[in-house]
Structure formats: structure tokens, C-alpha cells
Amino acid sequence: MKFLKKHTKCVAPYRSAYVDIKGDLRPHTRCYDIVLGNIKEDNFLKIWNGKKYREFRAKIRKRAFPGCARCCGVMFSNV
């Protein structure tokens, strides 16, 4: 899996989140099909800083997922 030219890291899980109609909190609307918590059960900051989110971010730092190559959350290496 390669990033677009000059793209080296994904910052979407650090800068954005999506809450669906059921209250499920997801790291980004189109890149990841994963639920990391529910705001009807826990508050946003508890989920955002919680174990599941931290583990997900650690996985993103280690390797890119297929959606990462075209994601608007990927940053340029020289930024």
C-alpha cells in the first residue's frame, strides 16, 4: 500500500471524527468502517482519548490502510 506522491502520514484520526445517526463514533467518514464508541453511552472526550481510539491510532502510525492512499486526511511530508 503506497500513499500518494509526497504523502507520508494520516492525520484524520487526530483531527476529525464522525458520529452517525445511532451515535456511533467513527474515525473518519469514508476511510474506515470501524466504530470506536457511542456518544449515547460515553462522552465524546472519553471515547476520543480512550483505549480503542489510541490503539486505532497506533495501527495507523504503523501501516496504511487501502483508503489512506486517496484520503484527504493524509498530509504532505514537507508540511
Side-chain angles (χ1 to χ4, degrees), residues 40 45-47:
K40 294 179 181 178
L45 287 178
K46 185 175 179 181
I47 299 166

Side-chain angles (χ1 to χ4, degrees), residues 8 11 28 34 42 49 53 71-72 77:
T8 60
V11 296
H28 202 266
I34 183 173
D42 285 313
N49 296 313
Y53 236 111
C71 180
C72 57
S77 60

Side-chain angles (χ1 to χ4, degrees), residues 37-73:
N38 186 288
I39 62 166
K40 294 179 181 178
E41 299 168 8
D42 285 313
N43 73 44
F44 177 85
L45 287 178
K46 185 175 179 181
I47 299 166
W48 182 259
N49 296 313
K51 182 179 178 181
K52 281 185 178 181
Y53 236 111
R54 288 191 321 266
E55 288 174 349
F56 177 75
R57 289 178 182 125
K59 287 179 185 177
I60 292 292
R61 281 191 306 270
K62 290 180 182 178
R63 75 169 182 86
F65 290 94
C68 296
R70 65 184 187 281
C71 180
C72 57

Side-chain angles (χ1 to χ4, degrees), residues 10-25:
C10 179
V11 296
Y14 300 92
R15 293 188 177 174
S16 64
Y18 172 73
V19 179
D20 69 18
I21 195 162
K22 296 183 291 183
D24 290 338
L25 185 65

